[in-house]
Amino acid sequence: MKCFEIEKLNLHYGDFHALKNICMNIEKENITSFIGPSGCGKSSLLKTLNRMNDIAEGCRISGDVKLFGEDVYGDMDVNMLRKRVGMVFQKPNPFPMSVYDNIAFGPRTHGIKSKYELDKIVEKALQDAAIWNELKDRLKKSALGLSGGQQQRLCIARAMAVSPEILLMDEPTSALDPISTGKIEELLLHLKEAYSIIIVTHNMQQAARISDKTAFFLFGQVIEYSETESMFTMPRDKRTEDYITGRFG
Amino acid sequence: MTSIKEKVMSRVFLLSALSTVLALALICLFLFINGIPAMAKIGAFSFMLGKEWSPSDTPPLFGILPMIAGSLYVTAGAIIIGVPIGILTAVFLSKSCPKKLYKFIKPGMDLLAGIPSVVLGFFGMAVIVPVFGESILSASIVLGIMILPTVTGISESAIRAVPQNYYEGAVALGAGHYRAVFKVILPAANSGVLAAVILGVGRAIGETMAVIMIAGNQARMPVSLFKGVRTLTANIALEMGYAAELHREALIATALVLFVFILVINLGFAALKKRIK
């Protein structure tokens, strides 16, 4: 089953044509990774999926993006879209407030006020992000005091607290050390049972380790999109091969 | 040759830096030397808490409680009027103002900051006094306008200094623009916004000319928002011209009280800032 259907998607930042005629379907309950050199458009595509590009100045989009058949750029309420399609950023961005308030921010935004319910959501989200044991005694402490890896897992927990259907991750481990990266990868493999995950990464080993399908981007185009295993063992396109063998990028 | 130049220049820089401290020390010294004896003669208690100010009576009465209350009322009024508008303006300017409008509002704010207080006082006399009389309310409105540029300017830069990724994080969770701004950005900027408010308070409590022109200046305990009042600053400015002997010293002691107020506000601010951090 597909969660996203993308058709003839074009994206411009001012005069710059960042995404060229993208057509792809993304599978549900799967990890899909986007790889490619810097500036190839992989993050831009990720951000069109939850309309974070709306914030970017001078950004124009044409074409179709459908979330379970519903047009993302149509009548859909953008805040509801972002509730359904969560996002984790490259740099951990916990809010300057307590761990608890960070997690509770999303549910509160969507109208949950009862302390009992919020407590439950906070505990569940932290448990799902495998960080409950580390943080259960520090719920009232500022989230800014956590380590980088903990902050990023907190951000994942925060994204999950609004029970999204899909998680978008924009190079979530590029600012972290290898141990924290390992923990997050482990977490993602666990989360894909329940969520569809799309991850942008610069790290090809990471894509090979965790993702089911991989898309290779170059100059705003999808060069190759297939099962991760086949892409890394038998790339069909010469450019993909050059990239994954480290000849450029 | 070069080393002499270097030495001389380093002294020049040091002296420039010290001039601030020196000026402050001299002001302190002047206020305390002249103010304390007067307070001792009048009695600190009857000076600070006395409700009657009539220097020409026999014996003269020097109670400044009405002026302390006047300053507090007028300043509080200015805060109530100026701070919410200032902060909301800052949010608008930094987060949702179209560029074309910004080019119009921002220089307007800067210009407002540069308008001499006597002109604002005149505006108050011509426009606000006919409606609300010479009163606490009129003075509060004019002072509220006067502190707007300070509150707005400093709050705006504090809000702009908050990393954009907080905003993105909030929006990505499905929060609307204003929810993200008020629940995440503004709290993250709170120490800067607090600084803006404190500077506004300082400006309002120290303002003299505009207040004299519209507050009525009756040296009595405040009775109503629509009745006149006299502030500490007005008390000094109005009577210093003809005061002599104990009367003059009492006015300097009034300035001392004002100085201590400002000091307390600044210390309170420093403490609050520490606690927030």
Side-chain angles (χ1 to χ4, degrees), chain A residues 5-247:
Chain A
E5 294 165 81
I6 303 161
E7 221 165 303
K8 291 189 187 143
L9 182 78
N10 281 283
L11 184 147
H12 291 82
Y13 294 117
D15 293 334
F16 178 61
H17 197 173
L19 290 175
K20 296 167 187 159
N21 226 13
I22 307 284
C23 295
M24 66 193 294
N25 294 327
I26 293 172
E27 300 286 324
K28 204 183 146 199
E29 285 159 24
N30 231 327
I31 298 181
T32 305
S33 56
F34 293 175
I35 61 170
S38 300
C40 66
K42 54 195 191 307
S43 286
S44 295
L45 179 60
L46 197 73
K47 285 180 187 160
T48 54
L49 300 180
N50 67 343
R51 294 188 59 173
M52 285 301 281
N53 270 331
D54 291 12
I55 303 173
E57 237 170 279
C59 175
R60 281 175 295 123
I61 292 167
S62 66
D64 271 339
V65 179
K66 288 206 171 90
L67 170 65
F68 294 113
E70 276 178 84
D71 192 358
V72 165
Y73 284 85
D75 296 335
M76 196 185 286
D77 176 60
V78 68
N79 295 332
M80 277 317 288
L81 167 70
R82 289 176 187 153
K83 178 185 179 299
R84 293 173 64 188
V85 184
M87 188 166 216
V88 175
F89 297 83
Q90 180 173 4
K91 205 171 146 229
N93 61 348
F95 303 138
M97 44 180 95
S98 71
V99 169
Y100 184 97
D101 288 337
N102 261 280
I103 308 288
F105 181 84
R108 280 179 179 142
T109 297
H110 299 287
I112 295 173
K113 291 203 182 77
S114 121
K115 170 100 172 60
Y116 174 74
E117 249 180 284
L118 286 173
D119 285 353
K120 268 202 318 197
I121 293 172
V122 169
E123 177 168 351
K124 173 144 194 331
L126 289 171
Q127 255 162 1
D128 286 350
I131 195 173
W132 171 250
N133 286 332
E134 285 166 66
L135 294 187
K136 66 181 175 210
D137 300 323
R138 301 170 65 176
L139 294 179
K140 296 282 167 230
K141 295 266 167 66
S142 167
L144 299 186
L146 305 179
S147 74
Q150 286 175 326
Q151 289 190 358
Q152 194 63 305
R153 279 182 290 153
L154 177 73
C155 291
I156 295 175
R158 186 176 71 188
M160 290 191 302
V162 295
S163 29
E165 297 154 38
I166 292 155
L167 272 181
L168 308 177
M169 311 198 127
D170 193 358
E171 298 181 40
T173 61
S174 65
L176 305 181
D177 64 85
I179 293 173
S180 306
T181 301
K183 282 188 183 160
I184 286 183
E185 288 182 7
E186 211 174 290
L187 174 63
L188 295 185
L189 287 171
H190 177 68
L191 290 177
K192 78 168 193 178
E193 312 284 321
Y195 300 89
S196 317
I197 296 170
I198 305 172
I199 178 170
V200 165
T201 177
H202 262 123
N203 180 336
M204 277 171 285
Q205 284 77 25
Q206 182 170 62
R209 277 195 299 266
I210 63 172
S211 62
D212 302 292
K213 294 190 89 175
T214 299
F216 171 59
F217 288 72
L218 195 62
F219 302 124
Q221 285 172 308
V222 178
I223 304 297
E224 192 165 341
Y225 176 41
S226 59
E227 302 291 326
T228 301
E229 213 182 306
S230 70
M231 179 179 291
F232 280 93
T233 48
M234 279 180 301
R236 284 194 301 267
D237 195 289
K238 181 77 176 55
R239 289 167 292 180
T240 316
E241 192 184 339
D242 287 349
Y243 184 72
I244 59 181
T245 53
R247 222 160 285 168

Side-chain angles (χ1 to χ4, degrees), chain B residues 66-95:
Chain B
M67 277 67 87
I68 293 178
S71 278
L72 292 181
Y73 272 62
V74 167
T75 304
I79 297 303
I80 292 169
I81 293 168
V83 166
I85 299 179
I87 292 178
L88 292 178
T89 308
V91 167
F92 176 71
L93 287 179
S94 55
K95 288 292 162 195

Side-chain angles (χ1 to χ4, degrees), chain B:
Chain B
M1 183 62 197
T2 340
S3 84
I4 292 173
K5 242 188 198 168
E6 289 283 328
K7 268 184 191 156
V8 170
M9 280 320 285
S10 83
R11 291 291 145 81
V12 170
F13 284 119
L14 181 67
L15 275 178
S16 316
L18 285 180
S19 62
T20 316
V21 184
L22 192 70
L24 187 68
L26 282 175
I27 292 171
C28 268
L29 206 65
F30 163 78
L31 284 177
F32 279 94
I33 287 179
N34 289 289
I36 297 282
M39 260 200 233
K41 261 181 253 169
I42 300 161
F45 198 74
S46 49
F47 179 68
M48 301 275 288
L49 299 178
K51 288 183 185 167
E52 295 288 331
W53 175 270
S54 35
S56 46
D57 276 16
T58 35
L61 288 166
F62 296 107
I64 60 163
L65 191 62
M67 277 67 87
I68 293 178
S71 278
L72 292 181
Y73 272 62
V74 167
T75 304
I79 297 303
I80 292 169
I81 293 168
V83 166
I85 299 179
I87 292 178
L88 292 178
T89 308
V91 167
F92 176 71
L93 287 179
S94 55
K95 288 292 162 195
S96 31
C97 186
K99 270 193 183 138
K100 276 183 189 158
L101 195 59
Y102 187 85
K103 278 184 195 155
F104 192 69
I105 295 180
K106 185 70 182 166
M109 273 289 165
D110 294 342
L111 198 61
L112 182 59
I115 289 181
S117 59
V118 65
V119 176
L120 269 171
F122 205 70
F123 162 79
M125 280 173 82
V127 178
I128 296 169
V129 169
V131 185
F132 297 115
E134 292 191 332
S135 63
I136 296 179
L137 185 60
S138 299
S140 298
I141 293 173
V142 169
L143 285 180
I145 295 173
M146 199 178 273
I147 66 171
L148 260 185
T150 313
V151 176
T152 307
I154 297 172
S155 304
E156 188 196 341
S157 31
I159 293 169
R160 282 191 193 278
V162 174
Q164 173 74 2
N165 64 15
Y166 290 164
Y167 178 78
E168 287 172 357
V171 170
L173 288 166
H177 174 73
Y178 285 103
R179 187 174 166 82
V181 169
F182 281 98
K183 294 285 177 175
V184 178
I185 306 285
L186 208 50
N190 59 12
S191 74
V193 172
L194 191 69
V197 174
I198 298 294
L199 280 171
V201 172
R203 174 119 205 245
I205 206 169
E207 176 50 36
T208 312
M209 184 48 83
V211 173
I212 290 177
M213 292 166 80
I214 49 183
N217 305 318
Q218 298 89 332
R220 56 154 189 235
M221 290 303 284
V223 277
S224 134
L225 273 184
F226 301 98
K227 291 279 161 42
V229 77
R230 181 188 286 194
T231 63
L232 289 166
T233 51
N235 196 38
I236 302 164
L238 287 169
E239 298 187 0
M240 200 48 118
Y242 62 85
E245 297 168 1
L246 187 58
H247 184 192
R248 185 171 178 280
E249 286 173 47
L251 292 177
I252 295 174
T254 309
L256 179 61
V257 171
L258 186 65
F259 179 75
V260 170
F261 266 50
I262 304 267
L263 208 66
V264 167
I265 290 170
N266 275 295
L267 289 177
F269 168 55
L272 255 177
K273 205 172 163 186
K274 229 184 206 168
R275 234 186 56 192
I276 285 173
K277 289 253 162 80

